[in-house]
Amino acid sequence: MITEEALPTYMTMLNTLDGVRDETGASKTPWGTWTRAWTAEENRHGDIMNKYMYLTGAADWQEERGQGAAAMA
């Protein structure tokens, strides 16, 4: 789940690389198109994993949210 949760960071990093530089988010270059498609796909994975864990009770959401907030403080 970490990969899916860090998508904004990955997308920002990829957009800074020479040859990608998708500063507007609408670049027609192959790399620009690929990075947008990749992040969209990973985002779908994250959504599905979160829903699965919530619906099956596979995670203690109160604990998850509390640890995340404490770690950021």
Side-chain angles (χ1 to χ4, degrees):
M1 244 172 66
I2 293 171
T3 301
E4 285 77 8
E5 297 298 326
L7 281 174
T9 304
Y10 295 145
M11 187 69 171
T12 300
M13 189 276 303
L14 287 170
N15 283 342
T16 63
L17 300 174
D18 288 336
V20 177
R21 295 256 190 260
D22 188 8
E23 294 163 351
T24 64
S27 172
K28 301 284 186 195
T29 65
W31 275 114
T33 302
W34 182 85
T35 56
R36 287 190 304 278
W38 177 74
T39 53
E41 179 69 16
E42 291 301 312
N43 188 49
R44 286 189 291 270
H45 293 166
D47 289 346
I48 290 169
M49 287 171 37
N50 281 336
K51 285 180 180 128
Y52 172 80
M53 292 176 68
Y54 175 75
L55 292 172
T56 62
D60 181 353
W61 290 103
Q62 295 298 323
E63 184 179 329
E64 280 288 319
R65 299 300 176 210
Q67 286 179 352
M72 294 179 79

